[in-house]
Structures are given as C-alpha cells and as structure tokens.
Amino acid sequence: MKHASRTRRVLAAAVGLGLAAALTACSDDAAGDGSVLVGLITKTETNPFFVKMKEGAQEAASEHGVTLQSFAGDYDGDNAAQVQAVENIIASGADGILITPNDSAAIVPALEQAAAAGIMVIALDTPTEPADAVDATFATDNFLAGELIGEWAQKRFEAEGVEPRVAMLDLNPNQIAVDVARNQGFLQGLGVDIADENQIGDEDDPRIVGHDVTDGAEEGGRTAMENLLQRDPDLNLVYTINEPAAAGAHEALKAAGKADDVVIVSVDGGCPGVENVESGVIGATAMQFPLEMASMGVDAVVEFAESGQTPDPDEGLDFVDTGVELITDEDIEGLESQDSAWGLEHCWG
C-alpha cells in the first residue's frame, strides 16, 4: 500500500465535520498528548475476542502515551458501520487504522481513501481481499491453527486404530479467508487431500461426513451438529470453526447420548473454551492471541508516526504471525502442546 504525503491534519479540516458525531460507537479509550492518534475498528463490541483485542490496544496506547479511538460494527458482518468509522478516523487526522474487517472486500475502497490520506492501515485477525489493500495483516496463522488440531486428531485416532468420520462445523456460506484457512489446515493435518485451494474442504473423501454452518455461535453449532448427526449417527470426530460452535455441538451430542463417543476439536483459546478442554468437552483447541495482535498494531502505528517505517511482514505474504498454541490435556507424542492449566493462564474472554 502506497502512502500520500502526510497531510492528515489539513485533510481533517476539509472533511465534513458531521462525521465526528455520526458514529456513536466511538470512544477515546486512551488519551495521549495528541501527537499520535490510532483508530481501532473491530467487528463487534460484544465478542470476547474483540473485547480482549480492544484491551490490548488500550494498554499499548497508554504505554506509548498516544490517543486511541475505538469503533465497532453493530453486528458481525456490519460493513456499513466500519466504512463510516474509517471516514470518521480520516476526518480526525489519525496516523493509523487497525481494523478487523467485517467484509474483507467491501471495506477496501474506504481503506484506499485512508491510504490516500497518508494513514497506515493494518488488518487485525482477518485479512482484506486483496491482502495488499493494507500495509500488513497481524493475525493468527489460521492454516497452522487448523493443522495443529487436525494432526492431533489424526494421531489420536491412528493410535486407537480407528478411522475418523468427520463432521465439519464451519462459519457461514461465504467461506471467508479465516474459514477456508482453518478448514484446509485441519484437513491437511488429518491427511485429507484438498481439492480446491479456494474452498473449505473436499466432501468426496469418505472420512468427511459433511459440512454445516454455525455463524460461529453456540446455537448454530447445536443446529449444525443435529443436522450432521441425522446424516451419519456414527460420526466420531467434530471440527468446529470456534469454541462457541464447539459448545453447541457438545450439547447436541449430549442430547443424542453420544457425547462420550465423539471427539471435538476447535480453534480460539477463549477462557470458556479452555475450560471445556479441562472438562473434556473439547479434546484439543488452537489458542490465538488477540491482545498481542492489537498491541503489536499500536506499536507499528507509533513507529510509522515517528519514522515513516511500515511493518516488515513475512516475505511475500503481507502477514505478521501473532502466534498460536495447541491446548490439550491429551499429549500426543511428537506434537508440541500446552495443557489446560497453561491455557487458563493465557486465555482471553
């Protein structure tokens, strides 16, 4: 992403002043000396993942003595509110924008306007489409997160001499980048061939019972699990896009009298999910670190404001890896992991 000359303060005066009051979901979360301004835009204000992300940004902003303004969509998928937030931040003359896109493609024109105003833009957690619409993406390696739980499941079932029959509980029909990466990583870890690099999986493999969507919610996980149990009552392995969906899947399995016969694996690392690892509801999860994403993002904006230096992503990927850890209380030989006690010390939400 190319930057225009740094004339944001002048630009702010030229942008409609009504924008400053137009978006009610804004707050000055850390008030610095006014020399550096960071805008944070999350998908929602209620998801614990984004609550923790906001906390990370607040802590980093306070440490640097810079001003942080935060915004959020009203619901997951609310692109209009995020576009308005970008416009508001441009009007404020910010140095940088940190954003978790609700719509990876639809948000790009607004981010291009920010870049033209000389503002550095970093995507957190969810990449834009195309990825180079921002200066960098600070996120979990979602393919690796899926691969870790897939490899754990594969080795566990192999040790028992059991062929997995897999139900896959995805996010939504749109197959966003996070959904695709986690699915494909899981399938590769499990040893399933991936037919199309742009799709979430290959249902032609006899081990895959089928896919259903959850919207990343507990109720969605319950419904999806009920649907896939009707398709194959003998399934024995469940992949879920996140831990709320895993909790819903467990409730459906329990209601069907199958909770003890099915292994669930997931991705997130939220405290309720790690507690479910500890209790045996989830066999293994991959922990991500939203606080780290946001604090690293603030650090990068401060560096940019002071020196003009943009992040140095992994070569050719426009991507900065913020870490992932396999959390399980069932150790698998040859596979590094942390137990639930460690997970509870490092979880979020």
Side-chain angles (χ1 to χ4, degrees):
M1 175 179 282
K2 304 297 184 183
H3 293 280
S5 59
R6 291 167 55 80
T7 56
R8 293 179 301 283
R9 306 296 175 183
V10 176
L11 175 67
V15 177
L17 296 178
L19 284 174
L23 196 64
T24 58
C26 168
S27 60
D28 286 330
D29 299 285
D33 60 10
S35 61
V36 177
L37 174 61
V38 183
L40 172 69
I41 308 171
T42 55
K43 292 183 180 181
T44 70
E45 289 188 308
T46 56
N47 186 313
F49 185 88
F50 301 118
V51 171
K52 182 57 67 174
M53 183 177 286
K54 183 176 175 179
E55 288 177 11
Q58 289 170 333
E59 291 173 8
S62 296
E63 289 174 4
H64 286 291
V66 303
T67 300
L68 175 73
Q69 291 184 346
S70 67
F71 303 79
D74 292 329
Y75 54 88
D76 199 330
D78 184 6
N79 181 66
Q82 291 196 322
V83 169
Q84 191 175 25
V86 172
E87 293 172 348
N88 192 300
I89 293 169
I90 294 172
S92 298
D95 296 272
I97 293 174
L98 311 176
I99 183 168
T100 60
N102 265 322
D103 188 316
S104 295
I107 194 65
V108 167
L111 300 182
E112 289 174 342
Q113 292 178 20
I119 299 172
M120 184 174 73
V121 182
I122 294 175
L124 304 180
D125 178 57
T126 303
T128 55
E129 296 178 10
D132 63 2
V134 295
D135 290 284
T137 299
F138 289 10
T140 305
D141 184 337
N142 282 293
F143 188 94
L144 176 60
E147 187 176 26
L148 288 172
I149 57 173
E151 187 174 357
W152 179 89
Q154 188 274 332
K155 290 180 179 294
R156 185 186 187 279
F157 276 74
E158 185 178 56
E160 295 180 353
V162 176
E163 182 81 358
R165 297 190 56 76
V166 189
M168 300 191 66
L169 274 58
D170 305 322
L171 185 60
N172 59 48
N174 294 332
Q175 298 183 19
I176 64 171
V178 170
D179 206 8
V180 172
R182 290 183 186 177
N183 273 259
Q184 291 193 341
F186 168 75
L187 291 167
Q188 177 162 298
L190 195 66
V192 176
D193 290 333
I194 301 170
D196 184 339
E197 65 179 12
N198 297 313
Q199 299 298 316
I200 55 178
D202 183 355
E203 294 189 45
D204 292 333
D205 190 289
R207 288 167 289 183
I208 308 302
V209 170
H211 295 260
D212 207 337
V213 296
T214 66
D215 289 324
E218 185 169 340
E219 181 59 35
R222 183 182 299 110
T223 301
M225 190 75 263
E226 290 170 349
N227 293 340
L228 291 172
L229 276 172
Q230 290 179 4
R231 182 178 299 186
D232 187 343
D234 296 323
L235 61 87
N236 54 17
L237 175 60
V238 177
Y239 156 89
T240 68
I241 185 67
N242 65 8
E243 292 160 356
H250 173 73
E251 289 302 313
L253 290 167
K254 187 167 64 173
K258 296 181 177 295
D260 295 334
D261 303 322
V262 179
V263 176
I264 300 175
V265 294
S266 193
V267 177
D268 252 352
C271 294
V274 177
E275 289 169 358
N276 277 339
V277 173
E278 183 181 43
S279 68
V281 169
I282 297 175
T285 193
M287 176 179 282
Q288 48 187 345
F289 300 93
L291 189 148
E292 188 72 9
M293 294 177 197
S295 61
M296 289 173 63
V298 172
D299 292 347
V301 172
V302 172
E303 175 65 25
F304 174 70
E306 293 176 350
S307 69
Q309 180 68 41
T310 57
D312 183 19
D314 294 342
E315 184 176 355
L317 297 177
D318 299 317
F319 176 78
V320 176
D321 187 356
T322 55
V324 63
E325 291 282 349
L326 179 66
I327 307 296
T328 182
D329 286 334
E330 297 184 53
D331 289 336
I332 299 294
E333 185 176 354
L335 193 58
E336 291 187 9
S337 65
Q338 303 287 349
D339 63 17
S340 61
W342 186 96
L344 290 169
E345 292 178 0
H346 296 84
C347 64
W348 45 267

